[in-house]
Amino acid sequence: MKTANRFLVLIAVVLLSSTSCKDSKEHIVTLNVDTSLIEKSNINDYCDFGQNKDSISNEDYTIIVNVGDKITWQGISTSSEYDTVKIKKIKHVKGEGRNVFDKDSLSGNEKVIGRVLHYTKKDKPYKYKIFFTVYNNGVRRNGTFHIDPKIQVNQ
């Protein structure tokens, strides 16, 4: 009898987790960086998220997701396939509403992955910081950079 009960519990867990995950999506946010020219004083001139920078600045770039979605942040060099952009940390900006992730900061080595747990206020995106390092010709450029886009989480 215990085996039958365990089997029923296992089936229930699998069914519940599959229905809660089926609506979630995976989002990949790619930070494009000109690794040959970026400096701390010109970050916004030499990186973007693929948006039209004439109409949407990096600070106004907003990713819209839902609770349960998975986000992967990655970086690529736009100037050399041999250069690298490493996303090191995603950090909730204090004063920008409730943190939408399970931790105040998410860490990684080249990419950072997070699952969205909380929604933002209706139609109100929150700022978060992306910390990244840049390697040009094998040499790290100017320490750690950061950029502050937005995230909006629907229920």
Side-chain angles (χ1 to χ4, degrees):
M1 189 67 171
K2 286 184 180 180
T3 306
N5 285 341
R6 286 183 186 158
F7 183 69
L8 289 174
V9 169
L10 178 63
I11 289 175
V13 168
V14 168
L15 287 174
L16 286 174
S17 57
S18 67
T19 53
S20 66
C21 293
K22 78 176 182 183
D23 292 336
S24 65
K25 295 180 181 170
E26 182 172 358
H27 303 268
I28 298 179
V29 178
T30 302
L31 179 63
N32 306 295
V33 180
D34 184 332
T35 52
S36 66
L37 295 174
I38 192 166
E39 301 284 340
K40 290 221 177 180
S41 61
N42 65 13
I43 294 171
N44 287 313
D45 295 332
Y46 294 105
C47 66
D48 61 58
F49 297 97
Q51 82 278 19
N52 178 345
K53 290 187 353 181
D54 292 335
S55 59
I56 301 172
S57 68
N58 288 329
E59 288 78 20
D60 288 331
Y61 176 80
T62 305
I63 179 171
I64 299 174
V65 297
N66 294 307
V67 171
D69 287 359
K70 177 178 156 184
I71 306 172
T72 301
W73 290 268
Q74 64 183 13
I76 62 167
S77 171
T78 59
S79 54
S80 171
E81 66 181 285
Y82 302 107
D83 289 353
T84 56
V85 177
K86 296 182 178 185
I87 306 296
K88 303 301 268 183
K89 181 168 55 173
I90 305 298
K91 184 160 179 47
H92 170 246
V93 174
K94 300 279 186 218
E96 281 292 319
R98 174 179 171 179
N99 182 14
V100 300
F101 302 106
D102 65 339
K103 297 182 221 173
D104 189 43
S105 89
L106 306 172
S107 297
N109 189 25
E110 293 193 21
K111 296 179 182 182
V112 174
I113 299 171
R115 181 141 334 252
V116 178
L117 300 178
H118 309 287
Y119 58 90
T120 55
K121 290 184 179 177
K122 185 171 174 69
D123 299 324
K124 170 124 175 61
Y126 297 165
K127 282 200 160 294
Y128 62 96
K129 279 189 181 180
I130 300 175
F131 292 83
F132 62 100
T133 55
V134 172
Y135 291 83
N136 174 243
N137 293 322
V139 177
R140 186 168 166 179
R141 289 183 69 94
N142 301 313
T144 301
F145 298 89
H146 66 84
I147 193 164
D148 304 343
K150 297 179 182 179
I151 188 167
Q152 181 175 321
V153 183
N154 301 319
Q155 291 185 13

